[in-house]
Amino acid sequence: MSSFDYDLFVIGGGSGGVRSGRLAASLGKKVAIAEEYRFGGTCVIRGCVPKKLFVYASQYYEHFEDAAGFGWTVGESRFDWKALIAAKDKEIARLEGLYRKGLEGAGAEILETRAELVGPNSVRLLNSGKVVTAEKIVIAVGGAPNTHIALPGHELCISSNEAFHLPELPKSIVIAGGGYIAVEFANIFHGLGVETTLIYRGAEILSRFDQDLRRGLHEAMEQKGIRILLHDHFTAVSKTVGGRLAAETMNHGTLVADQVMLALGRDPYTRGLGLEAAGVATNERGAIIVDRYSRTNVPSIFALGDVTDRVQLTPVAIHEAMCFIETEYKNNPTSPDHDLIATAVFSQPEIGTVGLSEEAAAKMYDELEIYRAQFRPMKATLSGRTEKMIMKLIVNAADRKVVGAHILGHDAGEMAQLLGITLKAGCTKDDFDRTMAVHPTAAEELVTMYSPSYRIRNGERV
């Protein structure tokens, strides 16, 4: 008979927490899972799911314009922000219900409360003050937007969290940041008719992506009418006499807008979690330090997902949860595989990527073959749009293995998922060349680029 109240206690009802709790409960373990807000976590409640719904909504303006080129006459159109919010909220509620149903069906106990550690095997439930014990504890509380508290007037700004619940659609917005959240919301708001400015302290947006895609997206966004200010940042934000917001910048004077959004990254949500009381080690950003099996320095405590600051992606948190179950409950030690993770930026146009950028690969390999194609997609020929697609393969010349694949354009995210399988399998450029094209598609360019566009030797283009 166990001396603990639970075999497993999960703190956090997001993707990693729910998956680990549900699977452990389905194996007959006594499981409780505590969530202080809503089940589904960042991704489902205030992240990738509602974001993608907003992306779809923001694309219809261009769809209506494009229709004329294909013989359609579209009548007067107007956008209703409140209707979109209501539809989004209904879908999120449905998804949250499915998460709860899955947990309940597996036999896990759902606790709607904040939970904090008070020891290596003890957790306090804040809504009642009750302390419960567990043989193992999983921390999967995710991350939270960086509110940039050093910025005077930061309290006047919104983050991506609030962007999903604005009572009114602003007429203008200034977004600070150059990562995928900032870029995606800049495109969303612009597509919904909002005058949009993006300000970023770096030399180019999306710093960790391949340079060709970064530049290509930047150009496409500016062509659409999004103002992008680089090498700059806010120094203060204040309210104007008319109730608008004035963002003081280092290099571009004062930017006045209805809303100011800070998209300056996300931090592990560990403050006040009781990690010190339990003896759990963290790094300088507050992320929980774990080994390759997601174990903390405390043998009974594990951490999954964004709270570890390894790779901040929902599928990664789910994968880490499954590895935890295999290791701890199925006697099959399994460490998460964080190599060659395909990812997408749902900008407009989209980015889909897997593997090394040209810049990163040039530091790792003596010689590279770069295959690059830039072309106008077929849909744009009748719509009259000037947009371009970019496709790029990075190949190690020594063994012909494809070490990076990058796409800018329609459905880039969908293609990146399939390319992820290809690169994970270790396919070579010869495998690509042997593959028959599907015509007419944009993706066929991936298997019809037979000759290198250029080479990189010892870090230099030749």
Side-chain angles (χ1 to χ4, degrees):
M1 190 76 176
S2 174
S3 60
F4 299 104
D5 297 318
Y6 300 98
D7 298 314
L8 175 65
F9 194 99
V10 180
I11 304 177
S15 298
V18 168
R19 181 62 62 95
S20 57
R22 181 173 62 80
L23 291 179
S26 70
L27 294 173
K29 304 299 179 182
K30 187 176 182 182
V31 177
I33 180 168
E35 169 56 49
E36 64 181 272
Y37 181 51
R38 297 177 68 181
F39 283 83
T42 296
C43 178
V44 172
I45 305 302
R46 49 184 174 257
C48 37
V49 172
K51 182 265 313 276
K52 190 72 180 288
L53 296 175
F54 277 22
V55 168
Y56 287 139
S58 67
Q59 291 173 337
Y60 277 92
Y61 175 77
E62 288 191 355
H63 292 337
F64 294 146
E65 283 191 337
D66 292 350
F70 294 88
W72 287 90
T73 300
V74 179
E76 181 183 357
S77 61
R78 61 184 180 86
F79 173 68
D80 187 333
W81 172 255
K82 287 184 170 61
L84 172 62
I85 296 296
K88 178 266 298 180
D89 288 345
K90 182 178 179 180
E91 175 60 10
I92 298 310
R94 183 187 73 84
L95 293 174
E96 183 184 11
L98 291 177
Y99 271 72
R100 288 173 172 271
K101 184 178 180 180
L103 288 165
E104 291 167 349
E109 181 180 350
I110 294 176
L111 303 172
E112 298 184 46
T113 177
R114 179 176 172 82
E116 297 176 358
L117 297 168
V118 292
N121 298 94
S122 304
V123 178
R124 178 183 290 113
L125 310 179
L126 263 64
N127 65 349
S128 64
K130 180 180 178 181
V131 174
V132 299
T133 60
E135 181 182 10
K136 290 181 173 69
I137 297 171
V138 162
I139 302 173
V141 294
N146 181 348
T147 56
H148 199 38
I149 59 175
L151 174 70
H154 71 274
E155 69 280 359
L156 301 173
C157 307
I158 63 171
S159 70
S160 56
N161 286 358
E162 293 76 38
F164 292 116
H165 303 284
L166 293 175
E168 303 288 342
L169 182 67
K171 289 184 172 59
S172 58
I173 191 168
V174 180
I175 301 174
Y180 72 94
I181 294 175
V183 166
E184 288 173 339
F185 271 102
N187 281 275
I188 287 169
F189 280 114
H190 174 265
L192 297 177
V194 179
E195 181 184 323
T196 303
T197 299
L198 183 68
I199 182 169
Y200 178 48
R201 67 171 61 242
E204 186 57 275
I205 58 175
L206 298 175
S207 61
R208 297 180 184 179
F209 288 77
D210 188 90
Q211 186 69 18
D212 276 343
L213 271 63
R214 299 167 68 195
R215 291 171 177 161
L217 178 61
H218 183 145
E219 292 173 3
M221 289 173 63
E222 288 195 323
Q223 286 177 0
K224 290 173 183 288
I226 299 171
R227 186 185 183 196
I228 300 177
L229 308 176
L230 299 175
H231 298 291
D232 204 357
H233 62 276
F234 296 152
T235 57
V237 178
S238 60
K239 274 195 174 181
T240 68
V241 175
R244 302 179 78 199
L245 296 179
E248 304 292 335
T249 72
M250 182 67 72
N251 300 318
H252 288 87
T254 302
L255 306 176
V256 179
D258 296 324
Q259 289 284 356
V260 174
M261 178 176 175
L262 301 180
L264 302 170
R266 296 177 64 84
D267 298 325
Y269 185 53
T270 53
R271 182 173 297 180
L273 196 57
L275 298 177
E276 300 86 354
V280 177
T282 60
N283 66 15
E284 66 281 356
R285 296 190 67 242
I288 297 175
I289 299 170
V290 294
D291 68 8
R292 60 193 297 248
Y293 296 105
S294 299
R295 303 183 183 114
T296 71
N297 62 305
V298 178
S300 57
I301 301 177
F302 302 77
L304 308 171
D306 290 2
V307 75
T308 67
D309 203 24
R310 287 179 283 186
V311 181
Q312 294 186 7
L313 293 171
T314 298
V316 172
I318 294 171
H319 174 64
E320 290 171 358
M322 294 168 69
C323 291
F324 162 76
I325 294 296
E326 288 291 325
T327 301
E328 297 301 317
Y329 294 121
K330 293 187 176 181
N331 195 31
N332 178 31
T334 306
S335 60
D337 181 0
H338 295 122
D339 187 39
L340 288 173
I341 298 172
T343 189
V345 180
F346 294 106
S347 48
Q348 299 174 46
E350 282 182 21
I351 283 177
T353 182
V354 60
L356 299 173
S357 66
E358 177 184 322
E359 296 76 27
K363 297 176 182 177
M364 295 180 61
Y365 299 101
D366 293 334
E367 185 173 350
L368 300 173
E369 296 176 351
I370 308 299
Y371 297 80
R372 186 186 186 279
Q374 181 170 326
F375 57 94
R376 192 181 187 191
M378 178 177 280
K379 185 179 179 182
T381 59
L382 295 189
S383 69
R385 295 203 176 273
T386 59
E387 65 189 57
K388 295 292 190 342
M389 288 194 76
I390 297 174
M391 293 196 174
K392 189 173 181 182
L393 297 178
I394 315 298
V395 178
N396 177 20
D399 59 9
R400 300 277 289 162
K401 184 179 287 187
V402 180
V403 297
H406 311 283
I407 302 170
L408 173 70
H410 292 294
D411 298 321
E414 302 290 341
M415 286 185 255
Q417 178 66 86
L418 300 178
L419 284 167
I421 301 171
T422 305
L423 269 67
K424 202 74 170 177
C427 290
T428 65
K429 183 60 171 62
D430 297 327
D431 295 320
F432 276 67
D433 293 344
R434 286 197 301 268
T435 302
M436 196 69 71
V438 178
H439 181 75
T441 65
E444 69 181 292
E445 293 290 333
L446 293 167
V447 297
T448 57
M449 294 187 287
Y450 298 117
S451 299
S453 303
Y454 55 91
R455 295 175 182 269
I456 304 290
R457 189 173 297 132
N458 297 322
E460 298 294 330
R461 182 168 173 170
V462 295

